[in-house]
Amino acid sequence: MTDVGALFEQYYEPLVRMLYRRTGDRDRAEDLAQETFARAVEAPPYNPRPWLFAVALNLVREEGRRSVRRGRHLELIRGESPIGTPAPDEEYIRDEDRSRVQRALAELSDRDREALLLKAEGFNYDEIAATLGMARGAIGTTLVRARRKLVDAYREEGKRHVAS
Amino acid sequence: MSHPDEGILQELLDGELPPSDAAAVRAHLAGCVPCAVLLRDLAATQTESDAIVARLPLDPPLVKPAGRARPRRALNLRAIGLAASVLLVAGTSWMLLRPAGSYSFRGSNDTSSGLALPMPSEERQEVPATTPAVPPSPSAGARADRSADRPGKAKQAPLEKKETEANVPAAKVTDGPADKDLAGEGRRASDIRPASLPEVSAPAAPAPAAALSAGAAMAPGATMTTIAEAEARLGTRLRTISGLTPVSVEMLPVAADSLLAVRQRYVVSGVPVTLIQASVIPAARDEVTTRERDAARYVDGVAAQPGNRGNGFVASGESGGVQPASRSWGAWGSLFQLRGALPADSIDALMKRVK
């Protein structure tokens, strides 16, 4: 029997973090994580971690397709975010760096990025393969490619930033 | 062995190679400089890549149970309530916006009026128990009765032979006086877990008997209450299924300092139906920002769309029974979920009666 409450305790945070890195949007990450757990409640999974993350990543993809319709609504939400005081320098730098990482991550293919982010959450190869529906034998090369790409892209982003 | 490809080297680095393969690769590396160099490069790339990803922590971090959340984060109104977020399911562990600390309410435990109230067993417990269908208070005027609401204590229901889904009647909700449907027909209904069959072979064990006694059948931390008290805590009117009287009203601890959920259990044509309402508690409302209010309205709109209404009715061909249908929606600043082993159109009919 799957105790979804226990799943929540264990996996909510890693799921949000992975989704945040995957989408670049903290709020959206939490939304998606909530939706994922809602589905787990409806249909408790036997193999929870890959299932949860796979559902979450599928939701990201589905949302991407529906984004045109939602775009209008999201505008409304984003437009409202209050900018009271200017961010102190530290925060600015940190935000800039985060954007740089996000931009670098965006250079990877979806699959490669997802494999990388799952690995960052401690998934082993079998779990990554199960979550992404890939052959286990392909995971090693995927990670090599993903890591290389990320490092290169991150360095490039750094150069671009300085140049502009 | 011939030079291992990069994927294999990476597997070695990640500790994913079976021991014999790892030994063979290491043996090769001991004697092959280019491969050893490649391995070193892969390791360096991995270190750098890990460092880059680590520059994206979850910040601000999720609130842990121990600390008190800053109100803005604790509310997360946009996620709440209104579409997918807080999904509360009859009898099962509930989802939290934030894991809640322990939180208890002073509930009232009126003695029952002599009825043996059906308390469907928690889905959390492995073994579903049967729930004898019992007529609630004969008076139809649900509202009028509300103040004398009888959450009551569940009597120890004698455990019957366990029912499988097959024996759940596909009950229909008809419009009109609810009493007729609810007159004790002596039908049995089991509280069914979604999407998976109960273990048919497991006997009704003593543990569920304990679960049926007062209090234990509720989710941990749930407290019996009255409608009046629930409304006082919610700061808003408690919606009910008009025409029906709930057999129990419980408060569920959710996010202790911001969100409150109330669960009402009804029996409709012998079938347990649960209505859950989750609302932001008044003290927290002042902290709501414009952004979150707008987001909440947006989510309301999304939740109202027909495609977003939760699971539909599933008939199990083999057992001839039904699985629970549920509807979740947001309205009046709260989240609702209605769930019961009824056909979808019955659930929809009930939904319309939630006022």
Side-chain angles (χ1 to χ4, degrees):
Chain A
M1 152 74 149
T2 309
D3 180 346
V4 185
L7 283 186
F8 184 87
E9 294 281 326
Q10 200 176 356
Y11 295 124
Y12 185 66
E13 183 168 345
L15 189 62
V16 173
R17 182 171 48 236
M18 188 280 292
L19 285 168
Y20 163 57
R21 289 166 171 171
R22 171 68 177 82
T23 64
D25 182 338
R26 169 64 182 268
D27 289 335
R28 188 173 162 211
E30 293 195 42
D31 249 357
L32 290 168
Q34 293 276 351
E35 174 67 38
T36 303
F37 275 95
R39 291 174 189 221
V41 171
E42 294 294 311
Y46 283 111
N47 194 2
R49 187 155 75 153
W51 188 92
L52 287 168
F53 281 70
V55 167
L57 289 171
N58 282 332
L59 286 175
V60 172
R61 274 176 227 121
E62 279 172 27
E63 263 205 1
R65 277 182 241 127
R66 291 205 300 261
S67 64
V68 172
R69 190 180 87 205
R70 288 182 163 204
R72 188 169 47 86
H73 295 289
L74 287 174
E75 287 307 321
L76 170 67
I77 293 166
R78 296 215 184 288
E80 293 287 333
S81 50
I83 303 186
T85 52
D89 280 346
E90 265 181 39
E91 259 188 58
Y92 176 76
I93 290 166
R94 194 181 63 213
D95 287 348
E96 277 299 297
D97 186 52
R98 279 193 234 160
S99 304
R100 184 178 164 194
V101 178
Q102 289 292 163
R103 284 195 304 272
L105 276 171
E107 305 252 342
L108 278 57
S109 73
D110 283 353
R111 186 107 298 179
D112 287 358
R113 185 186 324 125
E114 288 168 5
L116 192 60
L117 295 181
L118 292 176
K119 188 78 179 72
E121 292 303 328
F123 280 50
N124 65 31
Y125 280 28
D126 285 324
E127 289 170 323
I128 296 175
T131 305
L132 297 180
M134 290 173 63
R136 191 202 178 282
I139 303 296
T141 47
T142 300
L143 289 174
V144 168
R145 183 175 57 240
R147 285 166 166 152
R148 228 177 238 147
K149 183 78 185 157
L150 180 65
V151 169
D152 290 346
Y154 185 76
R155 287 185 192 152
E156 278 303 309
E157 284 293 327
K159 286 184 204 155
R160 203 172 302 154
H161 184 75
V162 167
S164 62
Chain B
M1 65 181 283
S2 57
H3 306 289
D5 74 20
E6 291 182 323
I8 299 292
L9 291 177
Q10 185 64 66
E11 279 198 50
L12 179 70
L13 282 173
D14 287 329
E16 294 274 352
L17 274 183
S20 54
D21 293 1
V25 172
R26 285 199 195 97
H28 174 91
L29 289 169
C32 175
V33 171
C35 284
V37 168
L38 179 53
L39 184 81
R40 189 197 62 202
D41 289 347
L42 289 177
T45 304
Q46 178 168 345
T47 304
E48 204 173 336
S49 162
D50 289 352
I52 293 170
V53 173
R55 297 170 105 97
L56 280 183
L58 210 52
D59 182 26
L62 288 178
V63 176
K64 296 294 186 206
R68 187 196 159 87
R70 285 182 294 123
R72 226 191 104 101
R73 260 300 145 199
L75 283 177
N76 202 6
L77 236 207
R78 168 193 44 80
I80 293 180
L82 311 176
S85 312
V86 180
L87 184 66
L88 305 163
V89 177
T92 195
S93 54
W94 28 267
M95 302 318 301
L96 309 172
L97 286 182
R98 303 281 179 262
S102 65
Y103 192 23
S104 62
F105 299 83
R106 271 192 323 105
S108 79
N109 271 311
D110 301 337
T111 52
S112 86
S113 62
L115 297 171
L117 300 173
M119 291 291 267
S121 69
E122 290 297 305
E123 286 166 17
R124 227 183 191 178
Q125 280 122 22
E126 218 56 70
V127 180
T130 58
T131 311
V134 165
S137 154
S139 56
R143 260 296 176 204
D145 270 347
R146 203 56 59 62
S147 54
D149 192 60
R150 285 172 296 276
K153 293 189 166 93
K155 288 212 194 126
Q156 190 110 1
L159 282 182
E160 308 288 337
K161 184 153 173 293
K162 193 152 53 86
E163 302 274 334
T164 64
E165 292 175 341
N167 295 330
V168 173
K172 275 209 82 92
V173 173
T174 58
D175 272 316
D179 305 351
K180 254 194 335 189
D181 285 342
L182 298 170
E185 293 159 346
R187 285 211 229 136
R188 304 244 170 272
S190 31
D191 197 17
I192 298 168
R193 268 179 43 209
S196 58
L197 299 174
E199 283 99 12
V200 179
S201 55
L212 285 181
S213 62
M218 300 182 286
T223 317
M224 293 301 234
T225 184
T226 61
I227 297 228
E229 171 145 353
E231 288 184 335
R233 291 247 25 135
L234 277 175
T236 185
R237 197 163 70 78
L238 194 69
R239 270 51 176 186
T240 60
I241 304 178
S242 66
L244 302 180
T245 306
V247 296
S248 75
V249 182
E250 299 159 291
M251 281 198 278
L252 305 173
V254 192
D257 50 6
S258 58
L259 188 68
L260 193 66
V262 177
R263 171 170 63 202
Q264 303 170 55
R265 301 194 201 257
Y266 295 82
V267 177
V268 176
S269 302
V271 175
V273 171
T274 302
L275 174 64
I276 291 174
Q277 175 173 351
S279 302
V280 178
I281 63 178
R285 290 208 184 113
D286 294 338
E287 322 267 5
V288 175
T289 64
T290 308
R291 180 177 185 281
E292 283 162 333
R293 262 199 295 270
D294 286 335
R297 277 201 288 275
Y298 155 64
V299 172
D300 253 337
V302 170
Q305 288 159 23
N308 293 337
R309 286 279 187 80
N311 285 348
F313 163 75
V314 174
S316 165
E318 287 160 14
S319 68
V322 303
Q323 292 185 343
S326 74
R327 294 288 182 269
S328 305
W329 72 101
W332 312 300
S334 299
L335 165 76
F336 295 86
Q337 195 194 46
L338 191 61
R339 185 181 189 89
L342 294 171
D345 53 354
S346 300
I347 288 284
D348 286 337
L350 280 177
M351 212 178 117
K352 293 193 184 99
R353 286 159 74 170
V354 171
K355 297 187 193 343

